[in-house]
């Protein structure tokens, strides 16, 4: 779970950042509107938290740019006391929720979970292939209703494969996306993890979901939807 936080008041910003990180989310923290705009429009996030009044671009301008770019990432705006017009404008621009200052970090966490639940109704946070499903928010994995425990790395790898069904992913792509390596570490790291994943997800009597393409990479097979996902 990756969150973009744009807030110019350092005290609030670092409090929120710490709170989110304690929950296991990774946070990109921008302290002005221009760097916030750059992050929002060039990187991909699972949720965006925007203060309205910022040096440089305002939170509402960032929100507008996101929605104009067809980016439907859940957005929560945080507003100062007396900025009720900003709240209304924010909701009109497509914010999912707003939170007036001052607020407790717990409250923001609750709102984030709520927007996530709503967006997961739209299948944004639930990946599923055949009888295998993975929830990006709760990080729960199950096959035919049977819960499967995963380490964080195993989960990241599984989510990466499931996001691109029927597409061949090379070891290089996997190392970059899952481990952040932009070089070949010269180990069989990927293969070792794939083996572990298979041992966990391929229950007896169920179809094998990860296909090996010798010398190339791996592919998550979605037999029910044989065409590769659009834009994946
Ligand atoms: Ca501010």
């Amino acid at each position: 779970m990756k969150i973009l936080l744009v807030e110019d008041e350092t005290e609030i910003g670092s409090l929120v950042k710490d709170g989110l990180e304690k929950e296991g989310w990774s946070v990109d923290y921008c302290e002005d509107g221009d760097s916030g705009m750059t992050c929002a429009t060039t990187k991909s996030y699972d949720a965006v938290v925007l203060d309205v009044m910022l040096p440089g671009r305002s939170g509402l301008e960032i929100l507008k740019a996101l929605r104009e770019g067809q980016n439907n990432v859940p957005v929560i705006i945080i507003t100062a006391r007396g900025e009720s017009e900003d709240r209304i404008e924010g909701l009109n621009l497509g914010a999912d929720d707003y939170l007036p200052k001052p607020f407790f970090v717990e409250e923001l966490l609750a709102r984030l979970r709520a927007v996530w639940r709503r967006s997961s109704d739209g299948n944004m946070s639930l990946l599923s292939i055949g009888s295998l499903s993975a929830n990006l928010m709760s990080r729960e994995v199950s096959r035919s209703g049977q819960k499967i425990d995963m380490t964080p790395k195993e989960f990241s790898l599984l989510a990466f494969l499931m996001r691109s069904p029927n597409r061949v992913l090379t070891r290089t792509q996997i190392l970059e996306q899952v481990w952040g390596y932009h070089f070949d570490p010269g180990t069989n790291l990927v293969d070792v993890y794939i083996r572990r994943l298979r041992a966990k997800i391929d229950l007896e009597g169920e179809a094998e979901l990860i296909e090996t393409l010798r010398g190339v990479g791996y592919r998550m097979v979605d037999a029910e939807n044989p065409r590769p996902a659009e834009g994946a």
Side-chain angles (χ1 to χ4, degrees), residues 7-9 51-54 101:
E7 165 64 82
D8 60 316
E9 285 168 70
D51 182 30
V52 174
M53 296 289 284
L54 296 162
K101 288 181 194 173

Side-chain angles (χ1 to χ4, degrees), residues 1 3 15-25 27 49 76 99 103-117 137:
M1 285 285 293
I3 292 184
L15 211 65
V16 170
K17 183 174 185 281
D18 289 351
L20 293 170
E21 284 175 345
K22 253 184 232 155
E23 291 290 302
W25 291 339
V27 181
V49 178
I76 293 180
L99 199 54
F103 58 87
F104 290 108
V105 175
E106 289 71 23
E107 196 177 350
L108 175 63
L109 289 169
R111 302 280 179 111
L112 278 170
R113 288 196 195 96
V115 295
W116 260 91
R117 260 196 304 278
M137 186 177 74

Side-chain angles (χ1 to χ4, degrees), residues 195-215:
R195 209 174 308 141
R196 283 195 209 166
L197 267 191
R198 280 183 171 139
K200 289 189 175 188
I201 65 171
D202 288 338
L203 305 181
E204 229 179 302
E206 300 271 358
E208 288 181 13
L209 292 177
I210 303 173
E211 190 181 9
T212 305
L213 287 103
R214 205 169 272 279

Side-chain angles (χ1 to χ4, degrees), residues 17-231:
K17 183 174 185 281
D18 289 351
L20 293 170
E21 284 175 345
K22 253 184 232 155
E23 291 290 302
W25 291 339
S26 95
V27 181
D28 275 358
Y29 174 27
C30 298
E31 295 189 56
D32 66 84
D34 293 339
S35 59
M37 180 70 93
T38 305
C39 283
T41 52
T42 58
K43 298 189 193 176
S44 103
Y45 295 98
D46 299 297
V48 176
V49 178
L50 294 173
D51 182 30
V52 174
M53 296 289 284
L54 296 162
R57 247 71 70 88
S58 78
L60 295 179
E61 284 175 84
I62 298 173
L63 171 62
K64 194 160 175 253
L66 280 171
R67 296 307 187 232
E68 281 176 356
Q70 309 297 319
N71 186 330
N72 290 320
V73 61
V75 172
I76 293 180
I77 54 172
I78 44 187
T79 57
R81 199 193 303 265
E83 289 177 339
S84 57
E85 279 173 28
D86 289 338
R87 277 169 224 165
I88 296 162
E89 200 189 339
L91 293 173
N92 282 338
L93 286 173
D96 296 85
D97 204 351
Y98 67 87
L99 199 54
K101 288 181 194 173
F103 58 87
F104 290 108
V105 175
E106 289 71 23
E107 196 177 350
L108 175 63
L109 289 169
R111 302 280 179 111
L112 278 170
R113 288 196 195 96
V115 295
W116 260 91
R117 260 196 304 278
R118 285 204 294 275
S119 68
S120 68
D121 293 343
N123 278 337
M124 279 174 68
S125 68
L126 193 72
L127 299 171
S128 82
I129 287 181
S131 57
L132 177 71
S133 66
N135 186 312
L136 294 172
M137 186 177 74
S138 63
R139 299 178 87 86
E140 277 170 1
V141 178
S142 64
R143 182 109 197 236
S144 300
Q146 200 170 324
K147 223 181 136 230
I148 300 170
D149 288 325
M150 298 256 158
T151 66
K153 264 301 172 251
E154 289 166 357
F155 185 86
S156 302
L157 173 59
L158 179 70
F160 181 51
L161 291 168
M162 289 180 79
R163 274 178 161 145
S164 302
N166 300 319
R167 254 171 215 261
V168 182
L169 300 169
T170 65
R171 285 180 181 75
T172 310
Q173 286 173 319
I174 294 173
L175 283 168
E176 270 185 31
Q177 285 294 317
V178 180
W179 278 271
Y181 290 171
H182 296 284
F183 55 92
D184 186 347
T187 65
N188 57 351
L189 190 64
V190 173
D191 311 83
V192 168
Y193 269 82
I194 292 280
R195 209 174 308 141
R196 283 195 209 166
L197 267 191
R198 280 183 171 139
K200 289 189 175 188
I201 65 171
D202 288 338
L203 305 181
E204 229 179 302
E206 300 271 358
E208 288 181 13
L209 292 177
I210 303 173
E211 190 181 9
T212 305
L213 287 103
R214 205 169 272 279
V216 184
Y218 295 99
R219 169 161 62 192
M220 178 65 81
V221 181
D222 186 357
E224 291 160 28
N225 302 287
R227 285 191 336 174
E230 209 72 43

